[in-house]
Amino acid sequence: MHISRSLVGALLLVSLGLACLQPAWAADDALPSWQDGAAKQAIVDFVAHVTTRGGPAFVPESERIATFDNDGTLWAEQPMYIQMAFVLDRVKALAPQHPKWRDQQPFKAVLEGDLKALAASGEKGMIDLGMATHAGMTTQEFEQIVKDWLATAKHPRFNRPYTECVYQPMVELLAYLRANGFKTYIVSGGGIEFMRPWTEQVYGIPPEQVVGSTIKTTFEMRDGTPVLMRLPEIDFIDDKAGKPVGINKFIGRRPILAFGNSDGDHQMLQWTAAGSGPRFMGLVHHTDAEREWAYDRISSIGRLDEALDEALTKGWTVVDMKQDWKIIFPPSSRH
Amino acid sequence: MHISRSLVGALLLVSLGLACLQPAWAADDALPSWQDGAAKQAIVDFVAHVTTRGGPAFVPESERIATFDNDGTLWAEQPMYIQMAFVLDRVKALAPQHPKWRDQQPFKAVLEGDLKALAASGEKGMIDLGMATHAGMTTQEFEQIVKDWLATAKHPRFNRPYTECVYQPMVELLAYLRANGFKTYIVSGGGIEFMRPWTEQVYGIPPEQVVGSTIKTTFEMRDGTPVLMRLPEIDFIDDKAGKPVGINKFIGRRPILAFGNSDGDHQMLQWTAAGSGPRFMGLVHHTDAEREWAYDRISSIGRLDEALDEALTKGWTVVDMKQDWKIIFPPSSRH
C-alpha cells in the first residue's frame, strides 16, 4: 500500500514533469530566436493548454483565432511608419505630373524635405497625402505600385528592404501558432491594400487574413473590362476602438490570442481578454535602442502607455525586446 | 515499329479515357443530388482542370476562392427573403415594448399584417424596420436573437426550419469544392451577422468566410466589460456593384468560381469572369414551380434578367433547377 502510493506519486511527478517539459522541447525547435524566459514560457504554456485535447482549456481548431498588429509588432515602425515612407516616395515620384504641388502644402513640404512644415500640416495634411498617393487608380494598379516600391526601397537605418525589417521572433511565433492549428490574422491600422501584396510571402498570412484600414472603391467598366477604382475617401480606420470593430466585421469571431505594441492595440487586447475561456494578450515592448529602438510612454509613433499599465496590472505578457529576443531581424537575403 | 505506335496510341486512348472518367466517378460520390447533365459536367470538368497538377489550367490551392450568393442560391428566398421574415417576427415580438408602433408606419402595417401598406412604405420603410430590429443591442445579444429565432421559426410553405430550406445540391457542391482544396465563401446582400451564427453548421462555411451587408458597430465599456453595440446606421451594402467591392475588401483575392441566381450577382460574376486563367460562372435558375418556385425576369425578389442574358451569351453555366436537381431540400432532421 505504502509502496503503491509512492509509485503513483512518482508516476504523477514523472508525467507532470513530462507535461511541463514537452512544450519547452517543442519551443526549442519552433521559437529559436526567443530567449528562454517568462515571455517564451507563457506563449508555449498557452499553446500547450489550448491544444491539449480533453484538457480543461482545450479550444477547437476553428476557434483558434490569433490577431497581430503589424507596425511595431511584426515589423519596424521607426523612424516613421513604413507606409508613410511609401507616401513620401510616391509624392516625389508623382510630382512631375503635378506641377502645382511645388507651391501647395503639404506636398511642397514633402518635395523640399521640410519635416517641420510637414508636421504642421497635421492630420488633414496626412490625409491629403494619403489620398493623392493611394487613390485614383485601380486596385490592381495599386497592388503593382506597392510591389514595385517594396522591391527597391530600403530602410534608412538598416539599409535593407523593408520586408526584411520584420521581427524574426514574431515570424517564428506566427509559424508556431499555425503549426498548432491557429489561424493567424493581421489587424493593423495600416492600409489593407498596402499589406496584402506581400504578407503571404513575408509572414505566411494570406490576403484574406489581413484586416486593416480601407478607402472606398467603386466597380466600373473600363473598355468593357470591370475594374475597382480606388476613391479618395476613407471607408474604415482600423485602429484603437476600430480594431475590435474590424475584427468583428472581417473575422466574426473573437481572438483567443492577440499581440500588439501600442495604445492603438489596447482595445483589441481588451476585447480579446473579455472572451470566456483561455486567453493570451501580448505586447512587444521596444526596449532595445542598440539593435532597434527604445520607446514607449511618450513616443509620438507607437505610444505605449495605457495598454502597458493594463498589461502590468492584469498580467498580460510583455515582451522585452532586449531581453527576450536573441535576434531582431532575419538574416538578410538580398545583400 | 508499327506495333509500337499502335501500342502508344492504345495507351494514350486508355489514359485519356481514364482521365475523362475519373472526375465523373468522383462526382457520382460527391454530387449525388445532381442529375447527370451539362451543368454537373461543367462543374466536374472545371474542378478536374484546376486541380490537375502540371496541367495547363492548374490553380494553386491558395487561389481556389469560390464565392456563393446566399438568398436564392444556397437557400430559398420566396415568398420573401428569410431575413425579412425575421424582421416581421421581431417587430411583433418587440411591439409590447413599443406601444407607439401601433400608430406608426411601417410598424403598424407589420402588426396589422397589411402587406399593401408595408409595400407602400418603400425602401425607407424597410430600412426603418431593419434598424429597429437589428440595432440597439450588442453583437453577442443579436447573435443569440438570431439563433433563438431560427430554432423555432418555420418556412410558411414547407413547414420546416429555414435552415432546412437550403438547396441540397448546392450544399453538396460546397463540400465537393472544399474537398478539392477550394475555400468557399458566402457573398450575400443579406446581413453578415444574420448569417454567421449558422453558416458553419448548415453549409460548412465558417463566420470568417461570410461576406455580407453590415451596419456600424461601436466599441463601448459596459460595467467594465467591452461590448460592440450595433448602431442604426448602414455601413456597407453587399449587393450588385457592392459584391465585387465586398469581395475585394473582405477577401482581397478574385474568385475563380462564383455562383449566383439574380441580377444582384451580375457584377460578382463579371468580376470573376474578368480574371486571367480558368473561371467558372454559375447561375441557379428557378424553374421548378412544383418543388420550389419558377421565377426570373419579372420577379420583384431575385430578378434574373441581365445576368441571364450575359450567361447565355458568354456560355456561363445555368443550372435548371427542375432538370438538374434530383432533390431540392435535404431530408428533414426535425420532423
Side-chain angles (χ1 to χ4, degrees), chain B residues 55-125:
Chain B
F58 179 73
V59 176
E61 277 203 24
S62 64
E63 291 167 29
R64 290 182 207 157
I65 302 291
T67 57
F68 288 79
D69 170 58
N70 186 39
D71 297 307
T73 299
L74 297 180
W75 74 353
E77 63 182 354
Q78 301 282 3
M80 67 173 77
Y81 293 125
I82 292 170
Q83 194 170 359
M84 190 67 207
F86 168 77
V87 165
L88 301 186
D89 281 357
R90 288 301 298 159
V91 168
K92 289 169 198 158
L94 292 168
Q97 300 163 41
H98 300 271
K100 284 185 183 171
W101 284 359
R102 301 204 168 280
D103 304 305
Q104 186 185 341
Q105 293 297 12
F107 303 98
K108 184 169 185 284
V110 174
L111 297 175
E112 295 173 354
D114 184 349
L115 294 180
K116 204 175 154 189
L118 183 59
S121 74
E123 192 180 337
K124 190 191 169 301

Side-chain angles (χ1 to χ4, degrees), chain A residues 64-67 178 181-185 209, chain B residues 183 206 208-209:
Chain A
R64 291 182 206 155
I65 303 289
T67 57
R178 287 193 295 267
F182 282 76
K183 215 166 183 175
T184 53
Y185 282 83
Q209 286 163 226
Chain B
K183 214 165 184 176
E208 62 268 29
Q209 285 164 225

Side-chain angles (χ1 to χ4, degrees), chain B:
Chain B
M1 193 66 172
H2 176 76
I3 292 167
S4 173
R5 277 174 71 188
S6 293
L7 235 170
V8 168
L11 282 170
L12 263 174
L13 280 172
V14 166
S15 51
L16 282 171
L18 284 174
C20 292
L21 281 170
Q22 199 180 8
W25 294 339
D28 279 346
D29 295 325
L31 301 172
S33 301
W34 290 73
Q35 299 284 4
D36 291 325
K40 180 175 182 173
Q41 198 59 50
I43 291 167
V44 169
D45 287 348
F46 178 77
V47 170
H49 287 146
V50 300
T51 57
T52 299
R53 196 170 290 274
F58 179 73
V59 176
E61 277 203 24
S62 64
E63 291 167 29
R64 290 182 207 157
I65 302 291
T67 57
F68 288 79
D69 170 58
N70 186 39
D71 297 307
T73 299
L74 297 180
W75 74 353
E77 63 182 354
Q78 301 282 3
M80 67 173 77
Y81 293 125
I82 292 170
Q83 194 170 359
M84 190 67 207
F86 168 77
V87 165
L88 301 186
D89 281 357
R90 288 301 298 159
V91 168
K92 289 169 198 158
L94 292 168
Q97 300 163 41
H98 300 271
K100 284 185 183 171
W101 284 359
R102 301 204 168 280
D103 304 305
Q104 186 185 341
Q105 293 297 12
F107 303 98
K108 184 169 185 284
V110 174
L111 297 175
E112 295 173 354
D114 184 349
L115 294 180
K116 204 175 154 189
L118 183 59
S121 74
E123 192 180 337
K124 190 191 169 301
M126 293 304 115
I127 291 172
D128 286 350
L129 292 173
M131 294 306 153
T133 53
H134 284 68
M137 70 291 279
T138 70
T139 50
Q140 277 182 297
E141 287 163 353
F142 184 72
E143 180 180 343
Q144 195 56 50
I145 290 167
V146 172
K147 284 181 175 170
D148 290 347
W149 181 76
L150 283 172
T152 57
K154 290 198 173 179
H155 190 284
R157 174 172 164 190
F158 303 113
N159 192 34
R160 49 160 61 193
Y162 286 109
T163 47
E164 294 180 9
C165 296
V166 299
Y167 304 134
Q168 178 63 18
M170 297 303 282
V171 173
E172 292 168 6
L173 174 55
L174 291 169
Y176 172 62
L177 291 172
R178 287 193 294 267
N180 281 281
F182 282 76
K183 214 165 184 176
T184 54
Y185 282 83
I186 289 174
V187 176
S188 169
I192 203 166
E193 298 204 69
F194 180 72
M195 297 182 283
R196 282 176 167 164
W198 53 271
T199 54
E200 185 152 35
Q201 197 189 336
V202 174
Y203 300 136
I205 296 179
E208 62 268 29
Q209 285 164 225
V210 176
V211 178
S213 297
T214 50
I215 62 175
K216 295 200 173 177
T217 65
T218 183
F219 178 86
E220 287 177 11
M221 282 289 174
R222 202 160 75 172
D223 304 328
T225 299
V227 296
L228 289 170
M229 289 299 297
R230 292 170 58 80
L231 304 180
E233 194 181 341
I234 288 172
D235 175 49
F236 175 62
I237 300 291
D238 188 54
D239 198 25
K240 300 189 176 74
K243 289 206 176 192
V245 170
I247 287 169
N248 183 66
K249 175 155 70 174
F250 283 77
I251 309 176
R253 293 193 206 255
R254 195 192 298 253
I256 65 166
L257 179 151
F259 239 107
N261 78 300
S262 79
D263 285 355
D265 306 310
H266 195 180
Q267 290 89 341
M268 173 169 76
L269 297 173
Q270 291 177 320
W271 179 243
T272 302
S276 60
R279 303 281 140 175
F280 183 98
M281 284 62 64
L283 280 170
V284 173
H285 192 188
H286 292 262
T287 52
D288 195 331
E290 200 173 316
R291 295 185 299 173
E292 205 244 8
W293 278 274
Y295 58 98
D296 47 31
R297 295 185 189 274
I298 58 164
S299 176
S300 62
I301 291 174
R303 176 174 308 193
L304 175 63
D305 186 32
E306 292 177 11
L308 184 57
D309 287 339
E310 184 159 353
L312 297 173
T313 308
K314 302 270 176 77
W316 298 350
T317 295
V318 179
V319 174
D320 183 321
M321 196 179 243
K322 188 171 180 178
Q323 301 294 332
D324 286 322
W325 288 357
K326 291 181 188 169
I327 59 170
I328 308 288
F329 301 120
S332 180
S333 64
R334 284 199 264 179
H335 284 275

